[in-house]
Amino acid sequence: MRQKRSRPEVTDDLSADRPLPRLFRSHNHVLIDYASGIVGSRSDAEDVVQEAWLRFEQAERARTVHQPVRYLYRIVRNLAIDGRRKLGRVGRIHDDAASERLEVEADVRPDPEAQAIARAELKIVFEALDELPERTRIAIHMHRMEGKRLAEIAAHLGISVSRAQGIIVEGLQYCMQRRDPDL
């Protein structure tokens, strides 16, 4: 049976003499405690309450909120529950992916012969890279090793984006041809 969480008693008085910053200061800790009970972590609860205040301020600008503290509790509760559900989904996805990865890695470990062939091919690729013009080597390194975008590579080399793409493709084709002459 699911246990219902009780909400601490608070007054719901937002009037002209009690602006939003004062409401924030007076209820922030109580709201964090409330959210902590739902999400299970004080730091996550602080994030939830911060998001709730942002949403509350947007709602207050759009219309008058007649019961602001109750409205805040409802926002905090909804955000906390949504966050907990999301974490549950993400955790299940990561757990499933990790299990699949472990199974695949256990099944696909290369034998010593395959490792030797891979090392020899890698050596050929590195030799082919050394044979390329400097600008092509730089472009391939930035693209493949550093994960840079074509626009960044083009700017670094002082060439157009299409030319950067062209020299990367040409360089990679040369390396592949050297690795496997039958291609």
Side-chain angles (χ1 to χ4, degrees):
M1 180 174 207
R2 194 167 181 192
Q3 191 176 17
K4 187 175 180 181
R5 298 193 187 280
S6 63
R7 184 171 63 195
E9 287 299 316
V10 290
T11 59
D12 207 5
D13 57 346
L14 179 63
S15 59
D17 64 326
R18 188 158 190 198
L20 288 178
R22 187 168 172 200
L23 181 70
F24 176 81
R25 283 191 306 275
S26 65
H27 293 283
N28 194 49
H29 292 292
V30 177
L31 287 167
I32 291 171
D33 291 340
Y34 176 62
S36 291
I38 299 170
V39 297
S41 158
R42 186 148 185 95
S43 65
D44 290 341
E46 289 171 352
D47 292 341
V48 165
V49 171
Q50 184 65 38
E51 178 66 24
W53 281 107
L54 294 173
R55 290 188 184 196
F56 177 80
E57 287 178 339
Q58 288 174 342
E60 184 67 26
R61 275 187 248 126
R63 65 186 182 289
T64 301
V65 176
H66 296 290
Q67 296 180 332
V69 175
R70 288 184 183 171
Y71 187 62
L72 273 168
Y73 271 98
R74 188 169 62 218
I75 294 171
V76 167
R77 182 177 182 278
N78 291 343
L79 288 172
I81 290 170
D82 288 347
R84 194 169 73 187
R85 285 181 188 150
K86 182 180 177 184
L87 283 175
R89 283 191 305 268
V90 169
R92 284 191 305 274
I93 290 168
H94 286 297
D95 289 346
D96 292 345
S99 295
E100 288 175 18
R101 208 172 31 251
L102 286 175
E103 289 171 14
V104 169
E105 288 174 4
D107 294 340
V108 190
R109 287 216 170 108
D111 59 33
E113 182 182 357
Q115 290 178 354
I117 291 169
R119 273 192 227 101
E121 288 179 348
L122 189 58
K123 182 180 178 194
I124 292 169
V125 169
F126 280 123
E127 289 171 355
L129 280 170
D130 286 341
E131 296 167 4
L132 293 171
E134 181 181 7
R135 185 169 70 169
T136 305
R137 281 194 315 269
I138 292 169
I140 290 173
H141 185 271
M142 289 177 73
H143 184 64
R144 290 296 178 120
M145 304 300 187
E146 298 176 17
K148 301 288 185 186
R149 295 175 162 224
L150 290 174
E152 294 171 299
I153 297 166
H156 179 77
L157 297 175
I159 58 176
S160 69
V161 172
S162 61
R163 184 64 194 132
Q165 181 182 16
I167 65 172
I168 290 170
V169 169
E170 291 168 8
L172 292 175
Q173 285 175 341
Y174 178 78
C175 292
M176 289 172 49
Q177 184 69 35
R178 282 285 316 274
R179 187 196 79 202
D180 189 0
D182 295 333
L183 287 180

